């Protein structure tokens, strides 16, 4: 029995070593040399590949030596990085052609009855970020299915956000929905590039090496429309707004240089840095606005806009300067962008609701004001009719009517004189004629006669 148990334990150990042992070994070095020269190198010149190459601006030619043990199934060698489009795989002296209709540069390795050495030459013309994956074909195709499923979910969310904003624009009429639409579209186009969809549809050679700055510069322009329509930064912080616009213009000029030089790496990096500085400036202005006003809109902006911006710094800056500790997966860029789209869409809907309520209050105010104007307009008509009646019944002059109305309002002779720019004697003259025509003897009776023409006059005279 103990012998059988020991055999079982030994079998399990051997099985576990087979299951978890590394089926292949990878080494690499940076050297611009021919395949023959690479094969002549000593073992100690190669570096063990334990994690993706992350050498920052030290781009150029990298060689990878891949040892594949005995295998009964084919393998797929993939470089899952959209900006790497120039790579060649060799077995002996023969070059293995890359697979067609793939998102990234990929090669198929056939099953082999013996251990085989392959050499992979990578011409890294942009940042030296070179991940390398070697998987059995079945596992590779399964993982690609999962990738397409996750991409479908992400782009489905983007399409939903676009439709929600379009419908909201039709319902509320707020231009902010249309102006914000450009931002998720710009972010998703950049994701289409990073996910290798452009390479899958149009091929990769000569395209991906300088298209990324163009897509990023488009995103910077869309950000200008969004932040101005949502927060009106130009009104609150015009200097910061102008600085941000200056960085956007600089990024466009640098991007033109990238296109003219077919992807000059220095201009490539400068373009992305200018774009990040522009986005940083806009975020800072929004944060300062939140510190100043404490409004919900500016607070949402600081959070929703800040999270994907932080992820973008880690994703773009870390490979340029070889900062591996800042390396962030592109998946988190997508998560951050979805979070931003959700928060911004809700924020704009909240803002539109506030605007609708404010417009309703303004409409009610206008209605109330119009009613007041109508009442004021009706009073002069009554006054005019009363004046005409007095002139007709008592043969008053217009001046006597005015003096009579002032008497009814309780004005003294001096106040009446100052009001009509006449002397007090003239006022007394008008009052005497008014009393005679109304057949009254004092001011109180005259006022009562004006308000109640049927009242009888008393016998006391007071001018």
């Amino acid at each position: 029995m103990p012998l059988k148990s020991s055999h079982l334990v030994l079998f399990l150990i051997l099985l576990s070593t087979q299951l978890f042992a590394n089926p292949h070994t990878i080494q690499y070095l940076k050297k611009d040399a021919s395949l023959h020269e690479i094969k002549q190198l000593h073992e100690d010149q190669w570096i063990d590949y334990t994690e993706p190459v992350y050498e920052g601006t030290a781009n150029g030619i990298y060689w990878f030596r891949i040892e594949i043990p005995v295998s009964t199934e084919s393998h797929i060698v993939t470089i899952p990085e959209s900006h790497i489009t120039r790579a060649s795989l060799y077995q002996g002296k023969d070059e293995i052609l890359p697979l067609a209709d793939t998102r990234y540069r990929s090669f198929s390795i056939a099953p082999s009855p013996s251990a085989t050495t392959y050499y992979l030459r990578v011409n890294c013309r942009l940042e030296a970020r070179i991940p390398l994956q070697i998987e059995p074909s079945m596992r590779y195709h399964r993982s690609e299915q999962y990738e397409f499923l996750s991409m479908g979910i992400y782009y489905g969310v983007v399409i939903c956000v676009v439709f929600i904003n379009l419908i909201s624009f039709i319902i509320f009429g707020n231009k902010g929905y249309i102006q914000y639409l450009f931002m998720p579209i710009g972010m998703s186009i950049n994701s289409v590039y990073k996910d290798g969809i452009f390479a899958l549809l149009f091929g990769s050679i000569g395209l991906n090496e300088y298209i990324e700055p163009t897509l990023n510069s488009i995103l910077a322009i869309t950000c200008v429309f969004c932040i101005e329509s949502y927060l009106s930064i130009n009104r609150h912080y015009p200097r910061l707004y102008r600085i941000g616009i200056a960085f956007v213009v600089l990024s466009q000029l640098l991007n033109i240089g990238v296109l003219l030089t077919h992807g000059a790496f220095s201009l490539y990096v400068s373009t992305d840095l200018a774009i990040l500085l522009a986005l940083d400036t806009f975020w800072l202005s929004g944060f300062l606005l939140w510190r100043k006003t404490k409004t919900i809109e500016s607070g949402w902006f600081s959070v929703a806009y800040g999270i994907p911006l932080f992820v973008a710094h880690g994703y773009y800056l870390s490979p340029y300067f070889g900062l591996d500790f800042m390396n962030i997966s592109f998946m988190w860029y997508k998560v951050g962008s979805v979070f931003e789209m959700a928060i911004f869409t809700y924020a704009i809907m909240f803002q539109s609701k506030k605007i609708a309520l404010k417009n309703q209050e303004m409409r009610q105010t206008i209605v109330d004001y119009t009613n007041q104007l109508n009442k004021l307009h009706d009073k002069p008509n009554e006054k005019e009719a009363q004046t005409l009646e007095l002139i007709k019944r008592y043969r008053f002059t217009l001046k006597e009517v005015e003096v009579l109305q002032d008497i009814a309002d309780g004005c003294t002779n001096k106040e009446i004189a100052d009001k009509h720019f006449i002397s007090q004697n003239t006022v007394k003259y008008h009052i005497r004629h008014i009393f005679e025509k109304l057949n009254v003897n004092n001011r109180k009776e005259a006022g009562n006669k004006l308000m109640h023409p049927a009242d009888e006059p008393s016998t006391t005279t007071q001018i």
Side-chain angles (χ1 to χ4, degrees):
M1 183 72 179
L3 184 61
K4 292 182 179 180
S5 300
S6 62
H7 286 171
L8 178 61
V9 170
L10 180 61
F11 171 76
L12 292 175
I13 293 174
L14 292 175
L15 178 62
S16 63
T17 57
Q18 291 296 320
L19 289 175
F20 298 102
N22 189 3
H24 52 262
T25 58
I26 307 175
Q27 296 174 308
Y28 77 96
L29 55 83
K30 183 179 184 299
K31 190 175 182 62
D32 188 2
S34 64
L35 176 62
H36 175 74
E37 292 172 328
I38 289 297
K39 289 182 177 181
Q40 302 303 316
L41 294 177
H42 296 291
E43 290 293 327
D44 57 359
Q45 294 180 275
W46 291 90
I47 303 171
D48 290 335
Y49 179 91
T50 57
E51 58 184 1
V53 174
Y54 217 75
E55 299 294 338
T57 57
N59 54 2
I61 305 298
Y62 282 81
W63 282 93
F64 294 83
R65 188 171 66 176
I66 305 171
E67 301 284 348
I68 302 293
V70 176
S71 176
T72 58
E73 60 180 331
S74 61
H75 286 72
I76 303 295
V77 178
T78 306
I79 309 171
E81 183 59 55
S82 56
H83 73 266
I84 295 178
T85 61
R86 303 175 188 273
S88 304
L89 183 66
Y90 299 92
Q91 178 186 7
K93 296 181 180 180
D94 300 327
E95 179 178 355
I96 300 176
L97 296 178
L99 294 176
D101 301 328
T102 57
R103 297 186 298 130
Y104 306 113
R105 198 71 165 172
S106 303
F107 304 89
S108 178
I109 296 178
S112 176
S114 60
T116 310
T117 301
Y118 297 87
Y119 291 91
L120 177 65
R121 181 181 185 273
V122 177
N123 184 0
C124 187
R125 301 183 64 182
L126 301 180
E127 70 268 18
R129 175 170 53 191
I130 311 176
L132 192 62
Q133 293 180 357
I134 302 176
E135 299 177 297
S137 297
M138 186 176 297
R139 186 188 304 172
Y140 165 80
H141 292 296
R142 188 183 301 116
S143 62
E144 281 292 284
Q145 291 176 350
Y146 291 146
E147 286 292 326
F148 279 109
L149 177 61
S150 65
M151 286 189 293
I153 295 174
Y154 171 73
Y155 296 115
V157 171
V158 173
I159 293 173
C160 289
V161 169
V162 170
F163 275 108
I164 289 173
N165 280 269
L166 285 175
I167 294 173
S168 300
F169 169 72
I170 296 173
I171 295 175
F172 297 105
N174 186 354
K175 293 182 180 179
Y177 288 106
I178 296 297
Q179 292 172 315
Y180 173 68
L181 274 182
F182 295 105
M183 180 172 284
I185 291 175
M187 296 177 70
S188 60
I189 289 177
N190 187 277
S191 299
V192 168
Y193 160 76
K194 285 295 185 182
D195 284 330
I197 304 300
F198 283 156
L200 179 63
L201 297 177
F202 309 111
S204 59
I205 296 299
L207 175 66
N208 291 6
E209 293 167 352
Y210 54 87
I211 194 174
E212 183 175 349
T214 302
L215 299 178
N216 289 340
S217 60
I218 293 174
L219 178 60
I221 294 174
T222 61
C223 180
V224 174
F225 291 105
C226 176
I227 193 173
E228 178 56 25
S229 65
Y230 184 66
L231 294 180
S232 300
I233 294 298
N234 188 27
R235 187 174 69 250
H236 298 284
Y237 295 100
R239 182 173 298 179
L240 277 177
Y241 182 75
R242 288 194 293 269
I243 292 174
I245 293 295
F247 279 126
V248 172
V249 173
L250 176 61
S251 68
Q252 305 306 311
L253 296 176
L254 291 170
N255 181 56
I256 292 174
V258 172
L259 298 176
L260 293 177
T261 57
H262 300 287
F265 186 54
S266 59
L267 294 176
Y268 179 96
V269 175
S270 300
T271 302
D272 283 345
L273 290 178
I275 293 170
L276 288 175
L277 287 173
L279 300 180
D280 289 340
T281 303
F282 293 140
W283 179 84
L284 177 62
S285 60
F287 177 75
L288 292 177
L289 182 62
W290 173 76
R291 290 285 302 272
K292 178 181 178 181
T293 62
K294 299 297 183 181
T295 59
I296 297 178
E297 291 84 356
S298 58
W300 280 338
F301 172 83
S302 300
V303 175
Y305 184 78
I307 290 178
L309 182 60
F310 173 78
V311 175
H313 277 75
Y315 185 79
Y316 287 101
L317 292 183
S318 58
Y320 296 154
F321 303 104
L323 305 176
D324 194 13
F325 68 92
M326 288 181 59
N327 185 23
I328 297 178
S329 170
F330 189 69
M331 178 194 69
W332 291 109
Y333 176 84
K334 286 183 175 181
V335 172
S337 64
V338 169
F339 177 79
E340 180 198 56
M341 285 184 270
I343 293 297
F344 261 118
T345 300
Y346 177 77
I348 296 176
M349 294 182 71
F350 178 81
Q351 189 183 56
S352 296
K353 185 177 180 180
K354 285 181 60 178
I355 293 175
L357 292 174
K358 189 174 181 180
N359 289 338
Q360 185 177 356
E361 292 176 359
M362 291 178 64
R363 285 194 294 268
Q364 186 61 43
T365 302
I366 292 173
V367 170
D368 295 340
Y369 182 70
T370 304
N371 292 334
Q372 292 178 2
L373 288 178
N374 291 334
K375 291 180 180 179
L376 292 174
H377 186 263
D378 292 339
K379 288 182 178 179
N381 288 340
E382 295 175 1
K383 185 176 180 180
E384 182 179 354
Q386 187 181 41
T387 301
L388 293 175
E389 180 64 23
L390 290 172
I391 293 174
K392 180 179 179 181
R393 178 181 297 183
Y394 300 105
R395 298 181 181 277
F396 281 148
T397 65
L398 287 176
K399 183 60 68 178
E400 288 173 345
V401 172
E402 292 175 355
V403 172
L404 176 59
Q405 289 172 343
D406 292 337
I407 292 173
D409 292 337
C411 297
T412 63
N413 289 354
K414 185 177 184 307
E415 291 173 341
I416 297 173
D418 293 339
K419 181 178 180 181
H420 298 286
F421 303 101
I422 57 179
S423 67
Q424 293 189 41
N425 290 331
T426 304
V427 173
K428 292 180 180 179
Y429 173 80
H430 288 309
I431 293 176
R432 185 178 296 110
H433 280 273
I434 291 171
F435 286 1
E436 291 175 355
K437 292 179 179 180
L438 291 176
N439 193 23
V440 297
N441 298 313
N442 56 52
R443 290 170 174 264
K444 183 177 181 181
E445 290 180 357
N448 289 335
K449 196 77 170 181
L450 177 63
M451 302 301 297
H452 307 286
D455 290 349
E456 294 295 333
S458 63
T459 59
T460 304
T461 303
Q462 181 181 354
I463 299 178

